[in-house]
Structure formats: C-alpha cells, structure tokens
Amino acid sequence: MEYLILALVILVVLGVILFLNFVPLGLWITAFFSGVSIKITTLVGMRLRRVRPRRIVNPMIKATKAGLDLRIENLEAHYLAGGNVNTLVDALIAAQRANINLEFEQAAAIDLAGRDVLEAVQVSVNPKVIETPNISAVAQDGIEVIVKAKVTVRANIDRLVGGAGEETIIARVGEGIVTTVGSAASYKAVLENPDSISKVVLEKGLDSGTAYEILSIDIADVDVARNIGARLQTDQAEADKKIAEAKASERRAMAMAQEQEMRAKVVEAESQVPLALAEALKEGHLGVMDYYEMQNVLSDTSMREAISKATDPKEKMIKKDSFRDKDKN
C-alpha cells in the first residue's frame, strides 16, 4: 500500500512538472500582473503551433507598459513569418517616443524586408555619417584629384521598403564628384573651392529612390595625385614612335627586297653577255680584234676603278705598274 501511494505521488509530481513545462503558468501569471490580458489556452495554443510563448509575451508586456496598443495575434503572426518581434516592439516604442508616425504593419514590413527597423528609427532621429572611399577624378587640365567626402543621411521611414541602401548613396556621390571635378577647368579651381563640389552634388538629388535623405555632403580631404594628361601624351608619343619605327622597318625591308631583285636582274643580264659575244663572233658581227680591243677597254676601266679606290700614292703607283705589266704581257 505504501508503495502504491508513493507511486501515485511520483506520478502526480511528474504530471505537474509536465503540465508546467507544457503550460507556461508562470509566464501567464507574469503577464496577468503586468496588465496583459492573455488566456492560458492561448499560451497552450502557442506551444502546439511550435511558438515559444516567451518570445511573444515578453515583448507584449514591454509594449503594454510603453502604452502601445498591440494585439497578441499580430505579434505571433509576425514571429511565424520569420520576423524579430522584440526588435519590432523596440522600434515601435522608439518611434512613439520620438513622435515618428510608424504603424505596426509598416514596421513589420520593414523588418520582414530584411532591414533593421530599430536602427532605421534611430537613424531617422539621429542622422549618421557615411564616409566615402577615396574617389579619383581628373580635371580638364589632366591633373588627377583624390577626393574623400562625408555624407550625412537620415533614414526615410516611408522609403525603407524598396528603397536603395548605403551602397547606392556612395556610388551616386562618387559619380557626382567625378562629374564635378571633370567639368573644372583646372585642379586649382577644385582646391580653391572644394565646397563647390558639395553644392553641385547636392543639387543633383542623389537621394531619390533611396531609403535615406541626404542632409549634407562635406568634402573631408582633397589631394593632388598624378598628371594623367601628361602621362597619356607620353604614352601616345611612345605609341606613335613604335608605329613610325614599324613603318620605317617595313619600308627598309621593301627597299632591300627591291635591291636584291635588281641585283638578280643585273646578274641575269651579265650572264647573257658571254652568250651574246659568242653569237656575235659566230655570225661574224664581231671580229677577233674587236674582241681584244673590248677586253683592253675593260681592263683599263678596272685599273682606273682600282686606282681611284686606293688612298696611298705609293699604292696607286704600284697598281699602275702592275696593270702596265699585264698589258705588256
């Protein structure tokens, strides 16, 4: 009998533990004394729907204490949709304290869109500064200018869903800086009036279609870099030089080819001379004495050419004597 009573007691204790584990009675009591009206069956239903009741009830208590009129069903639906209920409630409380008109549906849409709704509310109250990377631009005189800017933005709650982010703001500001510096006649004008870049860029309305409103664009640093114009001219001159050298090499090769062709024709013509002489002797158009006289003329011509090429007088005399001896022989 004692064992039966002990077993019953153990079963009752286990049942109570299982009941308290499945039914968050402590959480219901906390909600009740916090002024949140919620049924115990609702908490049990959350368990059955695999929703952690604490993730819903605690933000609901926070919202109730802050004076927000929220429904527990909406918070649970947002949780089931994959949203962050705690961050959503914090954003609604922050918006209420800052007198920003932010409805629950709008805040839920922002949160489900992947943006940090609490950070968006904070940025709309306290604008933040976005620093651009070093932006390279070239003025009309060919001098490169490195510009760094700081963009002060404020979140636009109405355009957070579907609006472009910080990357678009940085890209547009960079494009505006490049355009403004490129339209300057000289880099000196940019250095003298860097605020002109801010004025021109702000007039372009770069925040259209973005989730932010640009409040100001401040030029933080302007540095002079390379002389791009001179470098381009140097590269162009080098390229022109290589083109001219290539054309000259082509003309030289053509001239050499023509010279070789002419030499081949000369050799071919010279090879026909003995044949022509033989034919003339055979047909009687050229006599033997005429042939010898022609040979003497050729020898005399060769002698003159050799003497004209010699530079030393003694060498000239030696060559004259040698040719004379040949003629005697």
Side-chain angles (χ1 to χ4, degrees):
M1 188 66 180
E2 294 179 357
Y3 291 106
L4 182 60
I5 295 174
L6 182 59
L8 290 174
V9 171
I10 293 174
L11 289 175
V12 170
V13 171
L14 290 175
V16 171
I17 293 174
L18 291 174
F19 177 78
L20 294 177
N21 187 40
F22 188 78
V23 180
L25 186 61
L27 187 62
W28 177 81
I29 294 172
T30 302
F32 177 78
F33 284 102
S34 298
V36 178
S37 178
I38 185 172
K39 297 179 181 179
I40 192 68
T41 55
T42 303
L43 298 177
V44 173
M46 290 182 186
R47 289 286 192 186
L48 295 175
R49 289 187 291 272
R50 295 184 179 182
V51 176
R52 298 179 64 178
R54 193 172 298 275
R55 294 286 183 90
I56 306 299
V57 175
N58 287 340
M60 187 67 184
I61 293 173
K62 190 191 304 184
T64 303
K65 291 296 183 181
L68 297 177
D69 185 15
L70 299 179
R71 297 180 59 185
I72 198 74
E73 295 83 1
N74 293 337
L75 295 180
E76 185 180 359
H78 186 69
Y79 178 84
L80 290 172
N84 192 326
V85 177
N86 191 52
T87 303
L88 175 66
V89 172
D90 289 342
L92 291 172
I93 294 173
Q96 183 192 41
R97 296 291 187 268
N99 294 325
I100 298 175
N101 186 18
L102 180 63
E103 301 294 335
F104 174 83
E105 296 297 335
Q106 186 180 11
I110 295 171
D111 185 51
L112 293 177
R115 297 186 182 275
D116 192 337
V117 61
L118 178 59
E119 181 184 0
V121 173
Q122 292 172 349
V123 173
S124 64
V125 176
N126 184 22
K128 72 174 182 177
V129 177
I130 302 174
E131 186 172 342
T132 65
N134 291 332
I135 300 171
S136 175
V138 181
Q140 293 183 6
D141 58 355
I143 304 299
E144 181 185 20
V145 180
I146 306 297
V147 182
K148 179 181 287 186
K150 292 185 178 181
V151 185
T152 305
V153 297
R154 179 172 57 197
N156 192 327
I157 300 296
D158 296 331
R159 293 189 304 202
L160 279 174
V161 178
E166 296 182 11
E167 293 80 5
T168 303
I169 294 291
I170 294 175
R172 290 182 178 179
V173 171
E175 180 185 359
I177 291 175
V178 171
T179 304
T180 305
V181 174
S183 61
S186 172
Y187 75 98
K188 296 180 181 179
V190 178
L191 297 178
E192 291 174 358
N193 299 305
D195 58 335
S196 61
I197 301 177
S198 304
K199 294 178 181 178
V200 174
V201 174
L202 279 175
E203 292 174 357
K204 292 180 177 293
L206 303 179
D207 54 0
S208 61
T210 65
Y212 298 95
E213 177 185 355
I214 297 178
L215 300 179
S216 66
I217 299 176
D218 303 311
I219 305 302
D221 188 21
V222 179
D223 294 326
V224 178
R226 301 166 296 174
N227 191 335
I228 302 297
R231 181 176 179 180
L232 291 176
Q233 291 178 358
T234 303
D235 294 341
Q236 185 62 43
E238 186 67 23
D240 293 342
K241 177 184 176 183
K242 291 181 179 180
I243 294 173
E245 289 177 351
K247 291 182 177 179
S249 299
E250 182 181 0
R251 290 194 299 268
R252 188 181 304 111
M254 292 180 63
M256 292 177 65
Q258 290 178 357
E259 181 182 0
Q260 294 294 331
E261 183 179 358
M262 295 302 294
R263 286 183 180 180
K265 290 181 178 180
V266 169
V267 172
E268 181 182 3
E270 289 178 350
S271 65
Q272 299 295 325
V273 173
L275 297 176
L277 290 174
E279 186 68 25
L281 287 170
K282 183 178 179 181
E283 294 180 357
H285 298 296
L286 181 67
V288 176
M289 297 304 296
D290 296 330
Y291 176 74
Y292 280 114
E293 185 179 355
M294 183 185 65
Q295 291 294 328
N296 290 330
V297 172
L298 292 176
S299 299
D300 185 62
T301 303
S302 299
M303 178 187 68
R304 293 177 184 278
E305 289 179 355
I307 292 172
S308 64
K309 291 180 181 179
T311 57
D312 190 2
K314 293 182 179 180
E315 184 179 356
K316 290 183 178 180
M317 293 299 297
I318 293 170
K319 288 187 176 182
K320 284 182 179 180
D321 295 338
S322 63
F323 280 109
R324 286 174 183 172
D325 292 341
K326 288 181 180 179
D327 290 339
K328 290 179 180 181
N329 294 330

